[in-house]
């Protein structure tokens, strides 16, 4: 069986693409991927998605998006693509469960995975004070002290954003100088709210037993000394990894591994479109991903009709 459209990924981009495609009568097949619902499911309260008068849990929002798409005929399956061949008019996908699937058009919405420190306490406190997105969660820490881990442009951008909301931002970096661009580094160092903590790594996050971040345990990489820094939030800003390993050779990727697009959502392969964090290294916002998902579905519909 050859499907009209297969959508890879079930976060805001994938679900919105499924909604638009289903309403167009394409009956899309959505492969949910390794993390059904995407990174949004790790967010507790979402306040900045249009139309939400009250905060909503990230998982609940994604479930609502999915049900809306299903109401119009989208089909969701627990499966994951591990290989792709987009060279012909019929696109082929190798998956873990169903084996080989075929489609006339494909939308890539597999997202990106945040890079974490790998600490057990960090994982236990994601959504409870630990975050990978300052613009998503910074407002919950208004007037409080927080820590940002990283030394590149992303960490500096996060620190500057949080400095407008928080009483103190501790920028923790393992080196004695920032890796960020000169302009970005100068802005950070000129801030009265941001305090760099040089030559230091996060050894632990306190306190999982309390169910909230109360401090971070720091280790100086030069002398090995330990100290606890009281903070209410920890923002990990050491980058993201786009979920594109299975796409190498199938579509063009940029130097960082994100899907390269032209005209908004078109990839280098005819009939293959991309939306959300898999092609967006900059914004990492649910509403931006959803908008791109809508565009990808509209482009896929035009392609199939044409």
């Amino acid at each position: 069986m050859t499907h009209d459209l297969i959508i890879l990924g079930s976060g805001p981009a994938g679900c919105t693409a499924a909604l638009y495609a289903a309403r167009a009568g394409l009956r899309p097949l959505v492969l949910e991927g390794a993390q059904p619902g995407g990174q949004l499911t790790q967010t507790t309260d979402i306040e900045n998605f249009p139309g939400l008068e009250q905060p909503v849990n990230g998982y609940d929002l994604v479930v609502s998006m999915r049900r809306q798409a299903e109401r119009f005929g989208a089909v969701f399956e627990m499966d994951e693509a591990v290989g792709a061949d987009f060279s012909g008019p019929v696109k082929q996908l190798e998956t873990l469960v169903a084996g080989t699937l075929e489609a006339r058009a494909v939308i890539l919405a597999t997202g990106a995975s945040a890079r974490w420190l790998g600490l057990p306490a960090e994982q236990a406190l994601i959504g409870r004070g630990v975050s990978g997105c300052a613009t998503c969660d910074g407002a919950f820490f208004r007037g409080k002290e927080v820590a940002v881990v990283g030394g590149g442009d992303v960490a500096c951008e996060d620190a500057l954003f949080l400095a407008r909301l928080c009483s103190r931002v501790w920028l923790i970096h393992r080196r004695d100088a920032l890796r960020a661009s000169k302009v970005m580094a100068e802005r950070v160092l000129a801030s009265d709210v941001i305090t760099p903590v040089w030559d230091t790594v996060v050894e632990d996050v306190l306190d999982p037993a309390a169910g909230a971040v109360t401090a971070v345990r720091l280790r100086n990489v030069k002398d090995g000394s330990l100290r606890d820094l009281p903070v209410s939030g920890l923002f990990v800003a050491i980058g993201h990894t786009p979920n594109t390993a299975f796409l190498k050779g199938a579509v063009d990727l940029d130097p960082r591994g994100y899907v390269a697009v032209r005209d908004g959502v078109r990839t280098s392969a005819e009939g293959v479109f991309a939306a959300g964090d898999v092609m967006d290294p900059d914004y990492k916002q649910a509403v931006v991903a959803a908008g791109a998902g809508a565009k990808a579905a509209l482009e896929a519909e035009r392609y199939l009709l044409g």
Side-chain angles (χ1 to χ4, degrees), residues 137-186:
D137 300 325
F140 298 114
F141 300 90
R142 193 179 300 274
K144 299 180 180 179
E145 294 197 21
V146 299
V148 175
V149 181
D153 280 344
V154 172
C156 288
E157 287 174 2
D158 283 0
L160 289 166
F161 174 82
L162 292 166
R164 301 199 298 267
L165 304 170
C166 302
S167 61
R168 175 62 53 190
V169 178
W170 302 90
L171 183 57
I172 302 165
H173 187 39
R174 63 170 57 245
R175 299 181 177 88
D176 59 3
L178 296 171
R179 295 183 294 104
S181 61
K182 182 180 179 181
V183 172
M184 192 67 67
E186 288 175 347

mmCIF file of all heavy atoms in Angstrom, residues 137-186:
data_model
loop_
_atom_site.group_PDB
_atom_site.id
_atom_site.type_symbol
_atom_site.label_atom_id
_atom_site.label_comp_id
_atom_site.label_asym_id
_atom_site.label_seq_id
_atom_site.Cartn_x
_atom_site.Cartn_y
_atom_site.Cartn_z
ATOM 1 N N ASP A 137 10.260 28.675 29.777
ATOM 2 C CA ASP A 137 10.010 28.513 31.212
ATOM 3 C C ASP A 137 10.530 29.651 32.083
ATOM 4 O O ASP A 137 10.308 29.650 33.297
ATOM 5 C CB ASP A 137 10.648 27.195 31.688
ATOM 6 C CG ASP A 137 10.082 25.984 30.959
ATOM 7 O OD1 ASP A 137 8.880 26.007 30.649
ATOM 8 O OD2 ASP A 137 10.841 25.029 30.697
ATOM 9 N N GLY A 138 11.197 30.623 31.488
ATOM 10 C CA GLY A 138 11.807 31.682 32.287
ATOM 11 C C GLY A 138 10.828 32.465 33.142
ATOM 12 O O GLY A 138 11.145 32.856 34.271
ATOM 13 N N ALA A 139 9.612 32.661 32.634
ATOM 14 C CA ALA A 139 8.630 33.472 33.366
ATOM 15 C C ALA A 139 8.244 32.860 34.706
ATOM 16 O O ALA A 139 7.783 33.566 35.605
ATOM 17 C CB ALA A 139 7.380 33.668 32.507
ATOM 18 N N PHE A 140 8.434 31.554 34.871
ATOM 19 C CA PHE A 140 8.099 30.903 36.133
ATOM 20 C C PHE A 140 9.108 31.238 37.240
ATOM 21 O O PHE A 140 8.883 30.907 38.402
ATOM 22 C CB PHE A 140 8.032 29.387 35.952
ATOM 23 C CG PHE A 140 6.969 28.938 34.986
ATOM 24 C CD1 PHE A 140 7.307 28.336 33.792
ATOM 25 C CD2 PHE A 140 5.621 29.140 35.259
ATOM 26 C CE1 PHE A 140 6.334 27.929 32.889
ATOM 27 C CE2 PHE A 140 4.642 28.742 34.372
ATOM 28 C CZ PHE A 140 4.997 28.142 33.183
ATOM 29 N N PHE A 141 10.209 31.882 36.866
ATOM 30 C CA PHE A 141 11.267 32.170 37.830
ATOM 31 C C PHE A 141 11.462 33.671 38.016
ATOM 32 O O PHE A 141 12.524 34.119 38.429
ATOM 33 C CB PHE A 141 12.574 31.509 37.376
ATOM 34 C CG PHE A 141 12.472 30.015 37.264
ATOM 35 C CD1 PHE A 141 12.073 29.430 36.068
ATOM 36 C CD2 PHE A 141 12.723 29.200 38.348
ATOM 37 C CE1 PHE A 141 11.955 28.058 35.955
ATOM 38 C CE2 PHE A 141 12.610 27.827 38.250
ATOM 39 C CZ PHE A 141 12.219 27.249 37.047
ATOM 40 N N ARG A 142 10.423 34.415 37.748
ATOM 41 C CA ARG A 142 10.493 35.868 37.872
ATOM 42 C C ARG A 142 10.874 36.261 39.313
ATOM 43 O O ARG A 142 10.282 35.804 40.278
ATOM 44 C CB ARG A 142 9.148 36.481 37.506
ATOM 45 C CG ARG A 142 9.179 37.990 37.303
ATOM 46 C CD ARG A 142 7.796 38.492 36.925
ATOM 47 N NE ARG A 142 7.316 37.896 35.695
ATOM 48 C CZ ARG A 142 7.586 38.371 34.482
ATOM 49 N NH1 ARG A 142 8.343 39.454 34.350
ATOM 50 N NH2 ARG A 142 7.103 37.783 33.402
ATOM 51 N N GLY A 143 11.915 37.092 39.433
ATOM 52 C CA GLY A 143 12.357 37.568 40.735
ATOM 53 C C GLY A 143 13.183 36.577 41.526
ATOM 54 O O GLY A 143 13.529 36.851 42.682
ATOM 55 N N LYS A 144 13.546 35.447 40.925
ATOM 56 C CA LYS A 144 14.309 34.414 41.634
ATOM 57 C C LYS A 144 15.725 34.312 41.069
ATOM 58 O O LYS A 144 16.033 34.849 40.013
ATOM 59 C CB LYS A 144 13.591 33.074 41.529
ATOM 60 C CG LYS A 144 12.195 33.078 42.138
ATOM 61 C CD LYS A 144 11.531 31.718 41.994
ATOM 62 C CE LYS A 144 10.134 31.727 42.613
ATOM 63 N NZ LYS A 144 9.448 30.412 42.476
ATOM 64 N N GLU A 145 16.554 33.562 41.778
ATOM 65 C CA GLU A 145 17.909 33.303 41.302
ATOM 66 C C GLU A 145 17.930 31.987 40.536
ATOM 67 O O GLU A 145 17.351 30.986 40.976
ATOM 68 C CB GLU A 145 18.904 33.240 42.464
ATOM 69 C CG GLU A 145 19.084 34.573 43.175
ATOM 70 C CD GLU A 145 20.337 34.618 44.036
ATOM 71 O OE1 GLU A 145 21.259 33.808 43.804
ATOM 72 O OE2 GLU A 145 20.397 35.469 44.939
ATOM 73 N N VAL A 146 18.602 31.993 39.369
ATOM 74 C CA VAL A 146 18.684 30.795 38.538
ATOM 75 C C VAL A 146 20.111 30.622 38.045
ATOM 76 O O VAL A 146 20.930 31.547 38.123
ATOM 77 C CB VAL A 146 17.722 30.877 37.331
ATOM 78 C CG1 VAL A 146 16.270 31.003 37.787
ATOM 79 C CG2 VAL A 146 18.103 32.039 36.417
ATOM 80 N N ALA A 147 20.382 29.434 37.535
ATOM 81 C CA ALA A 147 21.687 29.142 36.950
ATOM 82 C C ALA A 147 21.503 28.705 35.505
ATOM 83 O O ALA A 147 20.524 28.030 35.171
ATOM 84 C CB ALA A 147 22.403 28.043 37.743
ATOM 85 N N VAL A 148 22.443 29.105 34.656
ATOM 86 C CA VAL A 148 22.487 28.682 33.257
ATOM 87 C C VAL A 148 23.810 27.968 33.042
ATOM 88 O O VAL A 148 24.866 28.458 33.467
ATOM 89 C CB VAL A 148 22.375 29.882 32.296
ATOM 90 C CG1 VAL A 148 22.543 29.426 30.844
ATOM 91 C CG2 VAL A 148 21.040 30.602 32.474
ATOM 92 N N VAL A 149 23.769 26.809 32.393
ATOM 93 C CA VAL A 149 24.989 26.057 32.116
ATOM 94 C C VAL A 149 25.319 26.186 30.634
ATOM 95 O O VAL A 149 24.480 25.913 29.769
ATOM 96 C CB VAL A 149 24.825 24.568 32.467
ATOM 97 C CG1 VAL A 149 26.128 23.821 32.177
ATOM 98 C CG2 VAL A 149 24.448 24.408 33.921
ATOM 99 N N GLY A 150 26.537 26.598 30.332
ATOM 100 C CA GLY A 150 26.975 26.720 28.951
ATOM 101 C C GLY A 150 27.802 27.965 28.754
ATOM 102 O O GLY A 150 27.818 28.867 29.598
ATOM 103 N N GLY A 151 28.482 28.034 27.599
ATOM 104 C CA GLY A 151 29.315 29.195 27.335
ATOM 105 C C GLY A 151 29.233 29.698 25.913
ATOM 106 O O GLY A 151 29.953 30.611 25.535
ATOM 107 N N GLY A 152 28.308 29.106 25.135
ATOM 108 C CA GLY A 152 28.151 29.529 23.750
ATOM 109 C C GLY A 152 27.058 30.565 23.588
ATOM 110 O O GLY A 152 26.535 31.120 24.560
ATOM 111 N N ASP A 153 26.703 30.832 22.334
ATOM 112 C CA ASP A 153 25.686 31.838 22.045
ATOM 113 C C ASP A 153 24.342 31.487 22.670
ATOM 114 O O ASP A 153 23.628 32.371 23.160
ATOM 115 C CB ASP A 153 25.523 32.005 20.536
ATOM 116 C CG ASP A 153 26.604 32.884 19.929
ATOM 117 O OD1 ASP A 153 27.277 33.598 20.696
ATOM 118 O OD2 ASP A 153 26.770 32.854 18.703
ATOM 119 N N VAL A 154 23.968 30.206 22.645
ATOM 120 C CA VAL A 154 22.677 29.809 23.204
ATOM 121 C C VAL A 154 22.628 30.107 24.699
ATOM 122 O O VAL A 154 21.652 30.666 25.209
ATOM 123 C CB VAL A 154 22.399 28.309 22.947
ATOM 124 C CG1 VAL A 154 21.146 27.862 23.690
ATOM 125 C CG2 VAL A 154 22.237 28.058 21.456
ATOM 126 N N ALA A 155 23.685 29.762 25.415
ATOM 127 C CA ALA A 155 23.739 30.018 26.854
ATOM 128 C C ALA A 155 23.699 31.521 27.139
ATOM 129 O O ALA A 155 23.021 31.968 28.070
ATOM 130 C CB ALA A 155 24.999 29.394 27.453
ATOM 131 N N CYS A 156 24.408 32.294 26.339
ATOM 132 C CA CYS A 156 24.420 33.743 26.549
ATOM 133 C C CYS A 156 23.054 34.355 26.250
ATOM 134 O O CYS A 156 22.582 35.240 26.978
ATOM 135 C CB CYS A 156 25.492 34.388 25.676
ATOM 136 S SG CYS A 156 27.182 34.046 26.241
ATOM 137 N N GLU A 157 22.418 33.893 25.191
ATOM 138 C CA GLU A 157 21.077 34.381 24.869
ATOM 139 C C GLU A 157 20.106 34.057 25.994
ATOM 140 O O GLU A 157 19.282 34.888 26.385
ATOM 141 C CB GLU A 157 20.602 33.768 23.560
ATOM 142 C CG GLU A 157 21.295 34.328 22.321
ATOM 143 C CD GLU A 157 20.902 33.585 21.068
ATOM 144 O OE1 GLU A 157 20.068 32.655 21.155
ATOM 145 O OE2 GLU A 157 21.417 33.933 19.992
ATOM 146 N N ASP A 158 20.202 32.829 26.515
ATOM 147 C CA ASP A 158 19.328 32.433 27.619
ATOM 148 C C ASP A 158 19.595 33.291 28.857
ATOM 149 O O ASP A 158 18.666 33.736 29.543
ATOM 150 C CB ASP A 158 19.535 30.960 27.958
ATOM 151 C CG ASP A 158 18.867 30.030 26.963
ATOM 152 O OD1 ASP A 158 18.244 30.541 26.010
ATOM 153 O OD2 ASP A 158 18.959 28.808 27.135
ATOM 154 N N ALA A 159 20.860 33.522 29.158
ATOM 155 C CA ALA A 159 21.217 34.318 30.334
ATOM 156 C C ALA A 159 20.694 35.747 30.203
ATOM 157 O O ALA A 159 20.161 36.314 31.168
ATOM 158 C CB ALA A 159 22.730 34.309 30.534
ATOM 159 N N LEU A 160 20.826 36.323 29.024
ATOM 160 C CA LEU A 160 20.344 37.688 28.808
ATOM 161 C C LEU A 160 18.823 37.765 28.891
ATOM 162 O O LEU A 160 18.264 38.726 29.433
ATOM 163 C CB LEU A 160 20.825 38.198 27.449
ATOM 164 C CG LEU A 160 22.327 38.504 27.356
ATOM 165 C CD1 LEU A 160 22.763 38.667 25.911
ATOM 166 C CD2 LEU A 160 22.667 39.758 28.164
ATOM 167 N N PHE A 161 18.149 36.751 28.364
ATOM 168 C CA PHE A 161 16.692 36.717 28.469
ATOM 169 C C PHE A 161 16.265 36.623 29.934
ATOM 170 O O PHE A 161 15.391 37.363 30.395
ATOM 171 C CB PHE A 161 16.142 35.532 27.679
ATOM 172 C CG PHE A 161 14.661 35.334 27.833
ATOM 173 C CD1 PHE A 161 13.766 36.081 27.086
ATOM 174 C CD2 PHE A 161 14.165 34.411 28.743
ATOM 175 C CE1 PHE A 161 12.388 35.907 27.243
ATOM 176 C CE2 PHE A 161 12.803 34.234 28.910
ATOM 177 C CZ PHE A 161 11.909 34.991 28.155
ATOM 178 N N LEU A 162 16.896 35.717 30.677
ATOM 179 C CA LEU A 162 16.541 35.518 32.080
ATOM 180 C C LEU A 162 16.900 36.730 32.932
ATOM 181 O O LEU A 162 16.244 36.991 33.955
ATOM 182 C CB LEU A 162 17.244 34.266 32.612
ATOM 183 C CG LEU A 162 16.755 32.941 32.008
ATOM 184 C CD1 LEU A 162 17.730 31.814 32.341
ATOM 185 C CD2 LEU A 162 15.355 32.599 32.503
ATOM 186 N N ALA A 163 17.915 37.470 32.538
ATOM 187 C CA ALA A 163 18.330 38.654 33.300
ATOM 188 C C ALA A 163 17.229 39.712 33.342
ATOM 189 O O ALA A 163 17.209 40.555 34.243
ATOM 190 C CB ALA A 163 19.607 39.238 32.709
ATOM 191 N N ARG A 164 16.309 39.671 32.383
ATOM 192 C CA ARG A 164 15.196 40.618 32.377
ATOM 193 C C ARG A 164 14.091 40.206 33.343
ATOM 194 O O ARG A 164 13.189 40.989 33.638
ATOM 195 C CB ARG A 164 14.615 40.732 30.965
ATOM 196 C CG ARG A 164 15.627 41.201 29.926
ATOM 197 C CD ARG A 164 14.941 41.745 28.693
ATOM 198 N NE ARG A 164 14.141 40.748 28.016
ATOM 199 C CZ ARG A 164 14.567 39.986 27.021
ATOM 200 N NH1 ARG A 164 15.825 40.103 26.593
ATOM 201 N NH2 ARG A 164 13.771 39.116 26.428
ATOM 202 N N LEU A 165 14.164 38.972 33.835
ATOM 203 C CA LEU A 165 13.108 38.430 34.685
ATOM 204 C C LEU A 165 13.582 38.096 36.091
ATOM 205 O O LEU A 165 12.829 38.239 37.057
ATOM 206 C CB LEU A 165 12.523 37.157 34.050
ATOM 207 C CG LEU A 165 11.965 37.266 32.632
ATOM 208 C CD1 LEU A 165 11.660 35.866 32.094
ATOM 209 C CD2 LEU A 165 10.709 38.114 32.621
ATOM 210 N N CYS A 166 14.804 37.644 36.205
ATOM 211 C CA CYS A 166 15.292 37.058 37.457
ATOM 212 C C CYS A 166 16.152 38.058 38.239
ATOM 213 O O CYS A 166 16.714 39.008 37.682
ATOM 214 C CB CYS A 166 16.101 35.798 37.167
ATOM 215 S SG CYS A 166 15.163 34.540 36.247
ATOM 216 N N SER A 167 16.250 37.819 39.537
ATOM 217 C CA SER A 167 17.049 38.708 40.379
ATOM 218 C C SER A 167 18.540 38.477 40.195
ATOM 219 O O SER A 167 19.345 39.397 40.359
ATOM 220 C CB SER A 167 16.668 38.505 41.846
ATOM 221 O OG SER A 167 16.931 37.166 42.254
ATOM 222 N N ARG A 168 18.929 37.251 39.876
ATOM 223 C CA ARG A 168 20.340 36.926 39.656
ATOM 224 C C ARG A 168 20.421 35.727 38.711
ATOM 225 O O ARG A 168 19.676 34.767 38.853
ATOM 226 C CB ARG A 168 21.044 36.600 40.976
ATOM 227 C CG ARG A 168 22.500 36.135 40.855
ATOM 228 C CD ARG A 168 23.381 37.209 40.240
ATOM 229 N NE ARG A 168 23.268 38.496 40.947
ATOM 230 C CZ ARG A 168 23.790 39.630 40.484
ATOM 231 N NH1 ARG A 168 24.457 39.652 39.350
ATOM 232 N NH2 ARG A 168 23.633 40.765 41.172
ATOM 233 N N VAL A 169 21.327 35.809 37.743
ATOM 234 C CA VAL A 169 21.568 34.705 36.815
ATOM 235 C C VAL A 169 23.033 34.308 36.929
ATOM 236 O O VAL A 169 23.929 35.119 36.646
ATOM 237 C CB VAL A 169 21.243 35.098 35.359
ATOM 238 C CG1 VAL A 169 21.549 33.933 34.419
ATOM 239 C CG2 VAL A 169 19.789 35.529 35.228
ATOM 240 N N TRP A 170 23.266 33.083 37.363
ATOM 241 C CA TRP A 170 24.619 32.553 37.467
ATOM 242 C C TRP A 170 24.925 31.776 36.185
ATOM 243 O O TRP A 170 24.231 30.820 35.860
ATOM 244 C CB TRP A 170 24.752 31.641 38.678
ATOM 245 C CG TRP A 170 24.416 32.304 39.980
ATOM 246 C CD1 TRP A 170 23.195 32.367 40.580
ATOM 247 C CD2 TRP A 170 25.318 33.002 40.837
ATOM 248 N NE1 TRP A 170 23.259 33.072 41.753
ATOM 249 C CE2 TRP A 170 24.556 33.479 41.949
ATOM 250 C CE3 TRP A 170 26.686 33.299 40.786
ATOM 251 C CZ2 TRP A 170 25.124 34.211 42.981
ATOM 252 C CZ3 TRP A 170 27.247 34.030 41.821
ATOM 253 C CH2 TRP A 170 26.479 34.462 42.900
ATOM 254 N N LEU A 171 25.924 32.204 35.450
ATOM 255 C CA LEU A 171 26.303 31.552 34.198
ATOM 256 C C LEU A 171 27.504 30.645 34.449
ATOM 257 O O LEU A 171 28.618 31.120 34.675
ATOM 258 C CB LEU A 171 26.634 32.598 33.131
ATOM 259 C CG LEU A 171 26.988 32.057 31.741
ATOM 260 C CD1 LEU A 171 25.864 31.192 31.173
ATOM 261 C CD2 LEU A 171 27.312 33.210 30.795
ATOM 262 N N ILE A 172 27.263 29.351 34.424
ATOM 263 C CA ILE A 172 28.280 28.363 34.797
ATOM 264 C C ILE A 172 28.951 27.824 33.544
ATOM 265 O O ILE A 172 28.291 27.289 32.651
ATOM 266 C CB ILE A 172 27.631 27.218 35.601
ATOM 267 C CG1 ILE A 172 26.946 27.790 36.847
ATOM 268 C CG2 ILE A 172 28.666 26.169 35.972
ATOM 269 C CD1 ILE A 172 25.995 26.822 37.495
ATOM 270 N N HIS A 173 30.269 27.972 33.490
ATOM 271 C CA HIS A 173 31.009 27.557 32.297
ATOM 272 C C HIS A 173 32.287 26.839 32.712
ATOM 273 O O HIS A 173 32.986 27.275 33.631
ATOM 274 C CB HIS A 173 31.342 28.786 31.450
ATOM 275 C CG HIS A 173 31.961 28.464 30.130
ATOM 276 N ND1 HIS A 173 31.568 27.394 29.346
ATOM 277 C CD2 HIS A 173 32.958 29.084 29.436
ATOM 278 C CE1 HIS A 173 32.279 27.359 28.245
ATOM 279 N NE2 HIS A 173 33.137 28.372 28.276
ATOM 280 N N ARG A 174 32.591 25.768 32.013
ATOM 281 C CA ARG A 174 33.752 24.942 32.380
ATOM 282 C C ARG A 174 35.088 25.601 32.024
ATOM 283 O O ARG A 174 36.149 25.143 32.469
ATOM 284 C CB ARG A 174 33.660 23.567 31.730
ATOM 285 C CG ARG A 174 33.696 23.579 30.221
ATOM 286 C CD ARG A 174 33.851 22.184 29.629
ATOM 287 N NE ARG A 174 32.809 21.287 30.045
ATOM 288 C CZ ARG A 174 33.025 20.200 30.796
ATOM 289 N NH1 ARG A 174 34.244 19.927 31.227
ATOM 290 N NH2 ARG A 174 32.035 19.412 31.112
ATOM 291 N N ARG A 175 35.065 26.636 31.215
ATOM 292 C CA ARG A 175 36.303 27.328 30.829
ATOM 293 C C ARG A 175 36.393 28.686 31.518
ATOM 294 O O ARG A 175 35.493 29.065 32.267
ATOM 295 C CB ARG A 175 36.364 27.472 29.309
ATOM 296 C CG ARG A 175 36.378 26.127 28.570
ATOM 297 C CD ARG A 175 36.455 26.345 27.053
ATOM 298 N NE ARG A 175 36.550 25.078 26.334
ATOM 299 C CZ ARG A 175 35.503 24.367 25.929
ATOM 300 N NH1 ARG A 175 34.270 24.809 26.178
ATOM 301 N NH2 ARG A 175 35.661 23.221 25.285
ATOM 302 N N ASP A 176 37.475 29.414 31.210
ATOM 303 C CA ASP A 176 37.652 30.734 31.839
ATOM 304 C C ASP A 176 37.310 31.877 30.891
ATOM 305 O O ASP A 176 37.620 33.040 31.151
ATOM 306 C CB ASP A 176 39.082 30.903 32.360
ATOM 307 C CG ASP A 176 40.136 30.764 31.268
ATOM 308 O OD1 ASP A 176 39.755 30.586 30.082
ATOM 309 O OD2 ASP A 176 41.336 30.833 31.582
ATOM 310 N N ALA A 177 36.667 31.540 29.766
ATOM 311 C CA ALA A 177 36.213 32.547 28.807
ATOM 312 C C ALA A 177 35.047 31.958 28.020
ATOM 313 O O ALA A 177 34.973 30.745 27.814
ATOM 314 C CB ALA A 177 37.340 32.950 27.866
ATOM 315 N N LEU A 178 34.135 32.818 27.600
ATOM 316 C CA LEU A 178 32.963 32.361 26.856
ATOM 317 C C LEU A 178 33.335 31.979 25.426
ATOM 318 O O LEU A 178 34.225 32.585 24.808
ATOM 319 C CB LEU A 178 31.898 33.462 26.838
ATOM 320 C CG LEU A 178 31.316 33.845 28.205
ATOM 321 C CD1 LEU A 178 30.434 35.081 28.075
ATOM 322 C CD2 LEU A 178 30.509 32.676 28.788
ATOM 323 N N ARG A 179 32.629 30.976 24.902
ATOM 324 C CA ARG A 179 32.830 30.559 23.513
ATOM 325 C C ARG A 179 31.921 31.330 22.561
ATOM 326 O O ARG A 179 32.018 31.173 21.339
ATOM 327 C CB ARG A 179 32.549 29.068 23.362
ATOM 328 C CG ARG A 179 33.512 28.164 24.107
ATOM 329 C CD ARG A 179 33.215 26.698 23.849
ATOM 330 N NE ARG A 179 31.918 26.308 24.403
ATOM 331 C CZ ARG A 179 30.810 26.105 23.705
ATOM 332 N NH1 ARG A 179 30.815 26.263 22.391
ATOM 333 N NH2 ARG A 179 29.690 25.743 24.298
ATOM 334 N N ALA A 180 31.033 32.134 23.114
ATOM 335 C CA ALA A 180 30.052 32.857 22.312
ATOM 336 C C ALA A 180 30.725 33.904 21.427
ATOM 337 O O ALA A 180 31.912 34.226 21.592
ATOM 338 C CB ALA A 180 29.037 33.523 23.233
ATOM 339 N N SER A 181 29.934 34.443 20.490
ATOM 340 C CA SER A 181 30.437 35.516 19.646
ATOM 341 C C SER A 181 30.834 36.713 20.509
ATOM 342 O O SER A 181 30.345 36.877 21.634
ATOM 343 C CB SER A 181 29.362 35.941 18.643
ATOM 344 O OG SER A 181 28.214 36.431 19.316
ATOM 345 N N LYS A 182 31.715 37.542 19.989
ATOM 346 C CA LYS A 182 32.244 38.658 20.767
ATOM 347 C C LYS A 182 31.140 39.589 21.259
ATOM 348 O O LYS A 182 31.115 39.989 22.425
ATOM 349 C CB LYS A 182 33.257 39.436 19.921
ATOM 350 C CG LYS A 182 33.903 40.602 20.654
ATOM 351 C CD LYS A 182 34.904 41.334 19.779
ATOM 352 C CE LYS A 182 35.510 42.511 20.533
ATOM 353 N NZ LYS A 182 36.481 43.253 19.684
ATOM 354 N N VAL A 183 30.213 39.908 20.382
ATOM 355 C CA VAL A 183 29.125 40.813 20.750
ATOM 356 C C VAL A 183 28.278 40.224 21.872
ATOM 357 O O VAL A 183 27.942 40.898 22.852
ATOM 358 C CB VAL A 183 28.255 41.137 19.519
ATOM 359 C CG1 VAL A 183 27.006 41.909 19.927
ATOM 360 C CG2 VAL A 183 29.058 41.931 18.497
ATOM 361 N N MET A 184 27.937 38.947 21.735
ATOM 362 C CA MET A 184 27.104 38.298 22.741
ATOM 363 C C MET A 184 27.829 38.219 24.078
ATOM 364 O O MET A 184 27.247 38.478 25.142
ATOM 365 C CB MET A 184 26.714 36.898 22.266
ATOM 366 C CG MET A 184 25.631 36.244 23.082
ATOM 367 S SD MET A 184 24.041 37.067 22.918
ATOM 368 C CE MET A 184 23.664 36.725 21.207
ATOM 369 N N ALA A 185 29.103 37.854 24.041
ATOM 370 C CA ALA A 185 29.888 37.754 25.274
ATOM 371 C C ALA A 185 29.988 39.111 25.968
ATOM 372 O O ALA A 185 29.878 39.203 27.198
ATOM 373 C CB ALA A 185 31.275 37.207 24.966
ATOM 374 N N GLU A 186 30.187 40.164 25.189
ATOM 375 C CA GLU A 186 30.302 41.507 25.783
ATOM 376 C C GLU A 186 28.999 41.916 26.464
ATOM 377 O O GLU A 186 29.024 42.543 27.531
ATOM 378 C CB GLU A 186 30.677 42.516 24.700
ATOM 379 C CG GLU A 186 32.125 42.385 24.224
ATOM 380 C CD GLU A 186 32.450 43.319 23.072
ATOM 381 O OE1 GLU A 186 31.495 43.892 22.482
ATOM 382 O OE2 GLU A 186 33.648 43.467 22.750
#
